[in-house]
Amino acid sequence: MEKEENSEESEMMIYKPLPVEVRVTLEQHSLLLGPTQSSIKKGEDTFLMSYIQTRTPVIPEELTTQFKKNFPLKIGRPAKENKKTRTRKKVLTSIEKRRLGLHKLPKTGIKYKACAPLHQLWVEYMENFLELENSAKAANKDLLYQRIAKADYHGCLLMVTRSKCPSYIGAKGIIVLETKNTFQIICEDDQLRIIPKRDSVFTFNVSKWTFTLFGSHMNIRPSERAARKFKSKPTIDL
Amino acid sequence: MTANVCGKKMNVVGSDGFHRMNFLYQASVVMLNAVPSCPSISSFYGTNIVSIGKKLQLKLDPSLKRTMCKGCKGLLIPGKTAEVRIQKPLTSKKKKKRQKKNNKIQVWKCLLCECVKNYILKSDYILWSEHTVPTM
């Protein structure tokens, strides 16, 4: 019975009138008046604006600009992702190394305290490698000097004593990276300093000994220094 | 540099280089743990290890060499810097000829440089350096 009545009503009116509560809210938002043509052209959707204002706790300021945006649908297939799987050549080219950021160290990421275990490791390595007790007794110290030239300086606590450029003098820190021309040092203020080897004199301590390095004679890649034979020169200076 | 062989001290050729390479390997491990935000440091030390080996003609033991990525020369730690997966044996016609079809493959992928290294898992295979009994 009820169903028949409903069907009759539905035949007369396809859409039932809106319930009372909804009508009230709509009136508040002035939709019953209907959006004027000028406002449609401007893009001001007043109902949406006021509806969102009532619901959100904080009114975002960019609402009006965002509402004016058009989001056209893209026609066509989405572009395929280029999957660059490197399976053939394993060794990285220099361009690829640059893209990955493997050629540089970040200036602010590394902390001085974090490098302390590296320094301890280096001190143990040098004490073992240089065999300082034996060389103290030996008259000829050539072996010691050769070993210093071949040694690795990553983790060494280095200090710049003399330099042609006055701003480098007094710089002290742990060597994080050694390149052909530079020492890259982490100073106590967590700053990475890149100090060129040329025209500078460095000193470092191992147990009770202090050693001086003349940077201008050490302008060689660290790996090639392991194979080099250094000749003694009459005068060494800046 | 002297080495202890059967209680006697012997001069090993190139031991200076070995000492340095050993130190650099340990340094790269330390720096990976100390400064995880900057993985390029360990790859710098790795390139030094490889180039010292080239200059002084020294070889790395496979146990160390296998933990270093061939592309960026950084340390490969499964879970941290490397992804280890096991692949099913290949079934294509070309591979059947090489008789690799029945063996699973362990794939090591470096997360930094995306270099892939495949190891074929044979149950009976022993590395030359790991032989306990001397064989010809």
Side-chain angles (χ1 to χ4, degrees):
Chain A
M1 291 291 285
E2 287 173 354
K3 283 184 189 175
E4 285 175 3
E5 285 175 6
N6 283 335
S7 63
E8 278 178 14
E9 283 178 7
S10 62
E11 277 178 311
M12 295 299 290
M13 294 182 293
I14 295 167
Y15 299 107
K16 276 190 180 176
L18 294 165
V20 180
E21 303 122 25
V22 179
R23 272 201 203 182
V24 168
T25 51
L26 281 178
E27 264 189 60
Q28 285 168 7
H29 298 311
S30 69
L31 190 69
L32 282 177
L33 297 170
T36 54
Q37 275 210 338
S38 57
S39 69
I40 290 166
K41 280 184 184 174
K42 283 180 189 174
E44 289 168 0
D45 207 346
T46 49
F47 169 68
L48 250 180
M49 284 292 292
S50 47
Y51 183 78
I52 285 171
Q53 275 174 10
T54 50
R55 299 288 155 152
T56 52
V58 179
I59 301 163
E61 290 169 347
E62 300 162 333
L63 257 186
T64 45
T65 50
Q66 282 187 355
F67 273 63
K68 285 179 186 173
K69 276 186 187 173
N70 287 321
F71 297 98
L73 291 171
K74 238 189 179 181
I75 302 164
R77 286 183 195 171
K80 273 188 184 177
E81 284 178 19
N82 282 328
K83 281 188 184 178
K84 289 181 183 175
T85 51
R86 300 176 67 257
T87 47
R88 275 196 185 174
K89 287 183 185 174
K90 283 175 186 168
V91 181
L92 290 170
T93 57
S94 55
I95 299 169
E96 286 169 331
K97 276 188 188 174
R98 277 181 176 269
R99 274 191 205 149
L100 291 169
L102 292 179
H103 68 292
K104 259 190 188 180
L105 291 181
K107 281 197 175 177
T108 49
I110 309 165
K111 291 195 174 177
Y112 184 78
K113 283 183 183 177
C115 298
L118 178 69
H119 177 60
Q120 277 176 6
L121 191 73
W122 180 82
V123 167
E124 284 173 25
Y125 155 69
M126 283 305 256
E127 284 173 355
N128 253 325
F129 183 54
L130 296 178
E131 291 179 341
L132 291 167
E133 301 120 13
N134 294 338
S135 56
K137 297 168 191 173
N140 194 10
K141 295 189 180 173
D142 280 347
L143 192 67
L144 177 67
Y145 299 148
Q146 271 178 33
R147 290 220 179 116
I148 290 166
K150 288 186 184 183
D152 200 70
Y153 291 109
H154 293 117
C156 166
L157 189 65
L158 204 76
M159 181 153 159
V160 183
T161 48
R162 295 163 63 201
S163 174
K164 271 190 182 173
C165 177
S167 58
Y168 292 140
I169 299 169
K172 188 180 181 186
I174 297 172
I175 296 176
V176 183
L177 185 68
E178 188 189 339
T179 64
K180 188 187 173 191
N181 292 322
T182 66
F183 281 129
Q184 303 202 2
I185 292 175
I186 289 278
C187 300
E188 279 168 20
D189 51 356
D190 296 345
Q191 203 193 23
L192 181 78
R193 280 186 158 188
I194 301 171
I195 297 174
K197 288 179 186 174
R198 233 189 200 185
D199 304 329
S200 299
V201 177
F202 307 96
T203 52
F204 62 92
N205 293 330
V206 180
S207 55
K208 297 171 190 172
W209 296 60
T210 45
F211 298 99
T212 47
L213 292 174
F214 292 93
S216 6
H217 300 272
M218 289 190 61
N219 260 332
I220 311 159
R221 267 181 254 162
S223 46
E224 284 174 30
R225 215 176 356 99
R228 254 284 187 118
K229 287 174 188 175
F230 284 88
K231 295 175 187 174
S232 55
K233 291 188 179 175
T235 54
I236 314 169
D237 210 347
L238 282 175
Chain B
M1 242 339 257
T2 53
N4 269 324
V5 179
C6 307
K8 294 179 190 173
K9 287 201 172 177
M10 291 178 69
N11 276 321
V12 179
V13 173
S15 53
D16 292 350
F18 279 129
H19 209 88
R20 193 166 167 179
M21 286 159 79
N22 180 31
F23 162 69
L24 277 172
Y25 187 84
Q26 291 180 40
S28 69
V29 178
V30 166
M31 286 312 269
L32 253 188
N33 287 326
V35 192
S37 59
C38 190
S40 60
I41 298 174
S42 62
S43 62
F44 272 124
Y45 296 168
T47 46
N48 269 331
I49 293 170
V50 170
S51 42
I52 289 167
K54 273 189 188 174
K55 278 277 167 178
L56 299 175
Q57 286 148 16
L58 304 170
K59 292 182 186 176
L60 272 178
D61 194 63
S63 57
L64 289 186
K65 198 177 180 186
R66 285 185 173 193
T67 58
M68 289 192 354
C69 172
K70 279 223 165 185
C72 60
K73 312 286 190 302
L75 265 188
L76 293 173
I77 300 169
K80 258 193 173 181
T81 54
E83 190 191 72
V84 185
R85 297 282 180 265
I86 294 181
Q87 261 184 16
K88 286 179 186 176
L90 302 158
T91 50
S92 66
K93 283 181 187 175
K94 277 186 191 175
K95 309 290 180 184
K96 273 185 187 176
K97 281 186 186 175
R98 298 185 205 170
Q99 294 176 335
K100 288 178 189 173
K101 69 165 187 176
N102 291 322
N103 292 312
K104 288 188 183 175
I105 300 169
Q106 195 185 51
V107 181
W108 285 65
K109 185 180 169 188
C110 175
L111 293 174
L112 251 187
C113 63
E114 294 184 27
C115 283
V116 171
K117 176 72 187 164
N118 297 326
Y119 295 107
I120 299 159
L121 301 173
K122 275 187 186 178
S123 52
D124 299 334
Y125 188 71
I126 307 167
L127 272 176
W128 176 261
S129 56
E130 288 173 5
H131 276 301
T132 47
V133 179
T135 54
M136 279 299 289

